[in-house]
C-alpha cells in the first residue's frame, strides 16, 4: 500500500482570483468545475496528473493572518534572464515582495494576492527537470522526524536527510521535490497551504489512514462533517495538516 501526493491545497477568500494568479504564474490553466479552482497543465484537465502536483484553491471566509506560512512553493528558473522575466511577470500579476528574513539571498521571496509566500529561485541544476514548481517546502523543527514519517507515508524516494534538511521526490524522478527545512520556531497556527494525498486505485483508504496513524499521524478536526466529506484530515508529527482523498 502507498499514497501519492497529488495536490497542493491553498486556502483563499477569493479562490477564483488566486487560482487565476497561479495559473498565469505557472503557465498552466485554471479549471473551476465546482467551488474550488484547480490549477494544472493546459490541454485539458488530467487528474491526478502522473507527474505534476496541481494546486487546488479552496474558498474560506477568513483571510490570511500576518503569520508566515510554514508550507510554501519554490518556483524554478533556467537562467538569470528567465528569473528576471518571471519576477517581472509575477509582479505584474499582483505578486508583492516579502521580507521573511532572507537577507541578501540569490532567490526572491514574493506573496500571491492573498499573502501566501513563495520563492522564485535562481537557476539550480537540481531543479532543471521539475517543471515550473521546483519544490514544496515545509518548515519544521526536526527534519529527521519528518523524513521518517513522510518517507513511510508516501511512495516517494528519500534523497537526503540531515539535521537541517530532508528531501523526497517521486520514485520516477519527475515533478517537484518535497523538502523539509529546519527552523527554530514551532508551528502555532493552522496551515494555509497543505498537501493532499491519494491512494492508488484498488487500495483501501481506511486502511491507509490507519497505517498513517501507526506512523504517527493524528486525527484532525477542522470543522468537517464526516457525512459530508469523502476525505480524511490528519496532521503529521509536527502538526502540519494534510488530507487523504477518496480514490473512487
Amino acid at each position: 500500500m502507498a499514497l501519492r501526493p497529488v495536490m497542493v491545497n491553498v486556502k483563499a477568500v477569493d479562490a477564483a482570483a488566486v487560482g487565476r494568479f497561479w495559473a498565469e504564474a505557472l503557465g498552466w490553466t485554471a479549471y473551476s468545475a465546482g467551488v474550488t479552482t484547480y490549477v494544472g497543465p493546459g490541454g485539458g484537465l488530467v487528474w491526478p496528473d502522473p507527474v505534476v502536483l496541481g494546486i487546488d484553491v479552496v474558498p474560506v471566509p477568513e483571510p490570511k493572518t500576518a503569520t508566515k506560512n510554514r508550507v510554501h512553493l519554490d518556483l524554478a528558473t533556467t537562467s538569470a534572464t528567465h528569473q528576471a522575466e518571471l519576477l517581472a511577470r509575477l509582479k505584474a500579476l499582483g505578486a508583492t515582495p516579502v521580507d521573511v528574513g532572507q537577507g541578501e539571498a540569490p532567490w526572491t521571496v514574493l506573496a500571491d494576492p492573498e499573502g501566501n509566500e513563495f520563492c522564485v529561485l535562481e537557476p539550480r541544476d537540481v531543479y532543471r527537470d521539475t517543471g515550473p514548481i521546483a519544490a514544496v517546502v515545509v518548515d519544521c523543527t526536526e527534519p529527521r522526524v519528518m523524513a521518517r514519517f513522510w518517507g513511510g507515508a508516501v511512495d516517494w524516494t528519500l534523497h537526503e536527510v540531515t539535521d537541517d534538511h530532508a528531501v523526497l521526490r517521486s520514485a520516477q524522478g519527475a515533478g517537484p521535490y518535497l523538502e523539509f527545512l529546519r527552523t527554530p520556531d514551532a508551528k502555532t497556527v493552522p496551515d494555509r497551504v497543505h498537501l493532499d494525498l491519494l491512494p492508488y486505485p484498488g487500495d483501501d483508504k481506511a486502511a491507509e489512514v490507519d497505517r498513517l496513524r501507526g506512523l504517527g499521524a493524528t486525527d484532525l478536526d477542522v470543522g468537517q462533517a464526516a457525512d459530508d466529506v469523502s476525505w480524511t484530515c490528519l496532521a503529521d508529527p509536527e502538526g502540519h495538516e494534510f488530507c487523504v482523498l477518496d480514490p473512487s
Side-chain angles (χ1 to χ4, degrees):
M1 294 192 296
L3 290 163
R4 47 186 166 154
V6 290
M7 290 192 302
V8 179
N9 188 296
V10 179
K11 298 179 177 67
V13 174
D14 190 340
V18 172
R20 287 192 299 270
F21 169 84
W22 281 106
E24 292 287 341
L26 301 174
W28 288 354
T29 301
Y31 305 91
S32 296
V35 296
T36 72
T37 298
Y38 179 77
V39 178
L45 176 60
V46 176
W47 190 88
D49 191 283
V51 176
V52 308
L53 294 185
I55 297 176
D56 194 34
V57 188
V58 179
V60 295
E62 308 87 3
K64 181 181 181 291
T65 67
T67 304
K68 175 184 175 293
N69 287 341
R70 291 183 69 79
V71 182
H72 72 267
L73 299 181
D74 280 353
L75 304 190
T77 64
T78 57
S79 67
T81 299
H82 180 209
Q83 184 184 20
E85 291 174 346
L86 180 57
L87 286 169
R89 185 162 62 84
L90 291 167
K91 291 173 183 176
L93 290 170
T96 54
V98 177
D99 184 355
V100 293
Q102 68 269 25
E104 294 295 326
W107 61 88
T108 299
V109 184
L110 300 174
D112 73 14
E114 292 202 6
N116 297 299
E117 301 89 359
F118 64 96
C119 296
V120 179
L121 302 180
E122 77 284 4
R124 300 184 192 181
D125 286 343
V126 68
Y127 299 133
R128 285 193 176 275
D129 63 349
T130 61
I133 300 176
V136 180
V137 182
V138 182
D139 293 345
C140 64
T141 59
E142 295 290 345
R144 292 186 183 277
V145 172
M146 298 294 274
R148 283 195 296 272
F149 174 80
W150 284 94
V154 302
D155 64 344
W156 284 19
T157 300
L158 182 63
H159 283 257
E160 176 186 354
V161 58
T162 70
D163 288 343
D164 296 316
H165 193 207
V167 180
L168 295 91
R169 195 186 190 193
S170 163
Q172 288 71 43
Y177 289 81
L178 175 60
E179 303 184 0
F180 299 93
L181 296 182
R182 186 181 185 93
T183 58
D185 54 320
K187 182 176 181 292
T188 58
V189 299
D191 289 326
R192 198 77 176 175
V193 180
H194 71 257
L195 284 173
D196 283 343
L197 312 181
L198 184 69
Y200 282 91
D203 284 353
D204 187 317
K205 173 175 166 281
E208 283 293 302
V209 170
D210 283 341
R211 185 176 67 84
L212 293 172
R213 293 184 184 117
L215 291 171
T218 53
D219 292 295
L220 184 67
D221 183 357
V222 294
Q224 74 275 21
D227 294 337
D228 295 337
V229 301
S230 59
W231 57 87
T232 300
C233 298
L234 299 170
D236 72 16
E238 291 204 8
H240 296 96
E241 299 92 331
F242 65 96
C243 294
V244 180
L245 308 180
D246 193 325
S248 60

